[in-house]
Amino acid sequence: MAPPKLTEYEKKRLENIRRNDQMMAALKIHSTVSQLSAATKRQKVGLSKSYKLSPEKKVAKSQSPIVIRRSLRTRGMPPDSGGLDYSVETPDRSPTRISKPRPSPRVMGPLSMRDAYSGTESDRALIDTILFLEKKPQVDVSIKKKFDRCEAVKMEQSDGISHDSVKGVVKDEYLDYGIKIDDKETESCVDVWSMGLKKENIARVLPGRIMAVRFLPCNDVRMIVAGNKFGNVAFWNMDSKGEEGDGIFLYRHHTGPISGILCQQSCLSKIYTSCYDGFLRLMNAEKEVFDLVYSGDDAIFSLSQRPNDMNGLYFGEGRGGGLNIWDERTGRFSSQWILHEDRINSIDFNSQNPNIMATSSTDGTACLWDLRSVNADKAKSLKILNHNRAVHSAYFSPSGSFLATTSADNTVGILGGVNFEDTSMIYHYNQTGRWLSPFRGIWGWDDSSIFIGNMKRGVDVISCSQRRSILTLQSSHMSAIPCRFDAHPCKVGMLAGATTGGQVYVWTSS
DNA sequence: TTTGGCGTTAAAGCA
DNA sequence: TGCTTTCCACGCCAAA
């Protein structure tokens, strides 16, 4: 077969890459000196822990040429063309990588964890820890209530009993939702006023902006997974002892911003990651690979999974508002819908009734859907919440009784009532600008509080019942604005906040 | 109606 | 300490 004909642009670009490679090789010594200097400066920030890149993979920002990225699609190339290595286009590239090339994260297949690993010390400790946890039965204590409800619904559904008879569900005209409001849910199980930030619970886990952060859902080890805009994913074992280094392990198995991280409580060794590069990968610690689950031409902006369907991956793809359901067993789409007019920023499911899905979009809306009645021809939502600007998140409360939305129009919306017909819009300044990831208000461990970033280097706590911000968590240790959060699924009061500088701050309650 | 450029914004890096 | 660079968010507005 004849080699593909290159366009003028592509020829020029390849030539640029070749020149850049030569230049970077020549600058090897210089860059090493500048990195050492940078490392020294990092100490000054006062972070007790920070990620360490292996010498051949340290960031050589000032020397690395930045090539403007164009998507494969806009270049008229298929995603598996293998023609151009994206890795040269990010600052996370070093001179010596040229002489010892590693597989590009864009490889169309499994990528070994060893090849994707960017650290100095062995990652054996991490893999062993995950495999150890995997074998240990995990008990979810803090959100037992949520899962009890979920299990109750599932149990009754499998018994063939209709939603109308599910225990505790209010019988009225809105029963299609299968969701009940319980005022007791608004009682708090955590004293947010006692939440504090300890110095040892701070680390710089990644270079660059953190796009997504997750706790590994287990009781025994406090493990954080974070993804940045360069396609790195870091693991931070907060319980790691000194002899194992800082407990931070850095990989790069994607080539663009990480848009989603999914950890499963039922199988801790498998962690899904989605990326703007259109790839969806699955870390398999047993096989020590990052498997390729899906690859498409368009960016993946959001990723989620239904609580009762571990084989289906729900992800928002492209700027056209597409939502795909990917069946991992068959390796095919179960469904492909256009649900919005612009990118889908978040996907979430109701714990009481996993058929109810919430999406938020840059088109300015958050929508509720009943998965049983969505069809490809005419996607009709159960409810549309209109914001005046882009909506960055729409998350159900742990009990499923409320929905919280965060929008660029400087509001946090709280929807409640039997049919989510009660809408409250709470003013919250959400203008993060270009360099910070947009804020997303997340629920804590019950229906009482929503946690969201504050431009004054704090974490605002919004009371659901009072429909207002009641507290801002602040600390002298916090030197940057936390944008993305995760509440530990098993440890009440443990909240991770991630910044644009790669730091993670973990708040705990006393 | 579509497209493209600009302004906004925080923080790391460097002189 | 202060300036420069970053540059995949997004609204706004003018030009095409």
Side-chain angles (χ1 to χ4, degrees):
Chain A
M1 205 171 87
K5 198 174 176 181
L6 297 175
T7 64
E8 281 306 308
Y9 172 83
E10 286 156 3
K11 283 181 195 166
K12 200 171 170 183
R13 193 160 178 272
L14 285 169
E15 176 58 20
N16 276 341
I17 290 169
R18 193 184 57 75
R19 267 207 316 271
N20 293 336
D21 287 352
Q22 288 173 348
M23 186 172 73
M24 286 194 292
L27 288 167
K28 180 181 172 184
I29 297 170
H30 184 189
S31 68
T32 307
V33 171
S34 65
Q35 286 145 15
L36 284 169
S37 163
T40 313
K41 297 261 169 62
R42 247 199 326 265
Q43 301 281 328
K44 288 184 187 171
V45 178
L47 291 171
S48 56
K49 300 183 181 74
S50 70
Y51 65 91
K52 292 182 189 70
L53 292 172
S54 63
E56 74 270 23
K57 280 184 270 179
K58 282 180 181 174
V59 178
K61 219 170 217 175
S62 56
Q63 286 79 28
S64 300
I66 306 298
V67 182
I68 295 167
R69 180 186 181 189
R70 284 177 64 214
S71 74
L72 288 165
R73 196 169 60 156
T74 55
R75 281 184 251 145
M77 296 164 69
D80 58 342
S81 68
L84 301 169
D85 181 356
Y86 172 77
S87 62
V88 79
E89 301 172 26
T90 75
D92 190 11
R93 166 109 176 176
S94 73
T96 48
R97 272 194 64 181
I98 310 309
S99 57
K100 190 186 172 187
R102 283 172 175 269
S104 163
R106 215 171 216 297
V107 65
M108 293 297 290
L111 193 64
S112 78
M113 288 180 74
R114 177 183 297 197
D115 284 337
Y117 186 55
S118 308
T120 49
E121 292 133 26
S122 165
D123 60 348
R124 197 66 250 166
L126 172 73
I127 294 170
D128 288 345
T129 302
I130 291 175
L131 291 177
F132 170 75
L133 294 170
E134 162 74 22
K135 291 190 179 78
K136 235 182 142 187
Q138 299 295 320
V139 182
D140 193 329
V141 287
S142 77
I143 53 169
K144 193 167 182 300
K145 188 165 53 179
K146 172 179 170 179
F147 279 86
D148 282 350
R149 283 172 170 276
C150 194
E151 288 302 317
V153 171
K154 274 196 293 184
M155 190 175 66
E156 302 216 27
Q157 281 174 333
S158 64
D159 287 342
I161 302 167
S162 75
H163 278 280
D164 296 22
S165 59
V166 172
K167 191 174 82 178
V169 175
V170 181
K171 290 185 178 180
D172 60 29
E173 60 185 301
Y174 300 117
L175 268 177
D176 282 347
Y177 282 59
I179 293 160
K180 172 205 168 196
I181 294 298
D182 184 349
D183 288 339
K184 287 180 186 169
E185 299 287 358
T186 58
E187 290 172 8
S188 179
C189 70
V190 60
D191 177 14
V192 292
W193 300 91
S194 76
M195 287 176 71
L197 181 63
K198 293 175 183 166
K199 208 174 175 182
E200 63 266 27
N201 292 338
I202 301 170
R204 189 191 300 271
V205 301
L206 285 166
R209 183 196 304 184
I210 294 179
M211 309 287 291
V213 64
R214 280 279 179 277
F215 280 106
L216 204 66
C218 74
N219 285 302
D220 301 294
V221 172
R222 298 171 301 162
M223 179 89 75
I224 280 175
V225 189
N228 71 1
K229 66 173 182 177
F230 300 134
N232 295 111
V233 173
F235 293 79
W236 176 25
N237 181 351
M238 295 174 68
D239 297 309
S240 176
K241 302 296 175 231
E243 67 270 17
E244 295 168 6
D246 287 333
I248 298 168
F249 303 89
L250 183 66
Y251 295 89
R252 182 157 183 263
H253 51 281
H254 285 286
T255 57
I258 304 291
S259 52
I261 298 170
L262 271 183
C263 305
Q264 291 175 10
Q265 190 158 32
S266 57
C267 188
L268 294 173
S269 67
K270 291 185 174 179
I271 297 170
Y272 292 95
T273 46
S274 63
C275 181
Y276 283 27
D277 66 8
F279 281 42
L280 228 165
R281 286 195 183 272
L282 169 63
M283 188 194 85
N284 187 327
E286 283 182 20
K287 292 196 288 179
E288 298 186 21
V289 294
F290 293 104
D291 274 323
L292 181 64
V293 176
Y294 168 83
S295 69
D297 292 354
D298 287 324
I300 299 174
F301 291 112
S302 44
L303 175 67
S304 189
Q305 224 168 6
R306 272 173 86 183
N308 57 346
D309 174 18
M310 288 301 118
N311 295 308
L313 289 163
Y314 293 66
F315 60 98
E317 190 180 38
R319 296 189 173 273
L323 186 133
N324 299 329
I325 308 175
W326 182 260
D327 188 328
E328 223 209 321
R329 285 170 306 183
T330 62
R332 291 181 176 186
F333 289 115
S334 308
S335 300
Q336 285 185 284
W337 300 319
I338 301 293
L339 300 186
H340 284 275
E341 291 175 6
D342 209 327
R343 54 183 270 182
I344 294 175
N345 295 313
S346 72
I347 304 163
D348 196 29
F349 295 91
N350 192 290
S351 61
Q352 277 189 53
N353 184 348
N355 291 309
I356 305 298
M357 176 177 77
T359 54
S360 66
S361 169
T362 299
D363 70 8
T365 66
C367 296
L368 294 180
W369 311 87
D370 188 331
L371 291 170
R372 296 162 297 186
S373 59
V374 177
N375 63 65
D377 302 329
K378 212 170 82 177
K380 192 174 180 304
S381 58
L382 291 171
K383 182 172 179 64
I384 301 174
L385 175 68
N386 286 300
H387 276 274
N388 293 323
R389 289 190 185 177
V391 188
H392 290 292
S393 64
Y395 296 131
F396 285 108
S397 64
S399 80
S401 301
F402 298 95
L403 183 81
T405 61
T406 307
S407 169
D409 69 2
N410 289 336
T411 57
V412 168
I414 297 179
L415 278 69
V418 286
N419 194 20
F420 296 99
E421 76 280 12
D422 300 332
T423 305
S424 305
M425 288 295 184
I426 299 155
Y427 176 82
H428 188 268
Y429 187 76
N430 294 330
Q431 301 308 304
T432 51
R434 188 178 185 177
W435 314 119
L436 302 190
S437 298
F439 291 153
R440 292 176 176 178
I442 66 146
W443 293 92
W445 303 266
D446 53 33
D447 288 13
S448 65
S449 308
I450 295 161
F451 297 88
I452 186 169
N454 177 301
M455 290 298 276
K456 291 177 179 167
R457 295 177 183 169
V459 184
D460 285 334
V461 183
I462 293 171
S463 159
C464 180
S465 57
Q466 297 182 54
R467 299 288 200 271
R468 67 183 181 90
S469 181
I470 54 167
L471 165 71
T472 302
L473 302 174
Q474 283 183 304
S475 164
S476 57
H477 297 316
M478 208 148 79
S479 60
I481 296 166
C483 301
R484 295 291 158 90
F485 293 90
D486 193 36
H488 199 299
C490 314
K491 296 179 189 295
V492 175
M494 183 169 281
L495 178 80
T499 75
T500 198
Q503 301 102 327
V504 175
Y505 297 87
V506 179
W507 294 74
T508 50
S509 64
S510 54

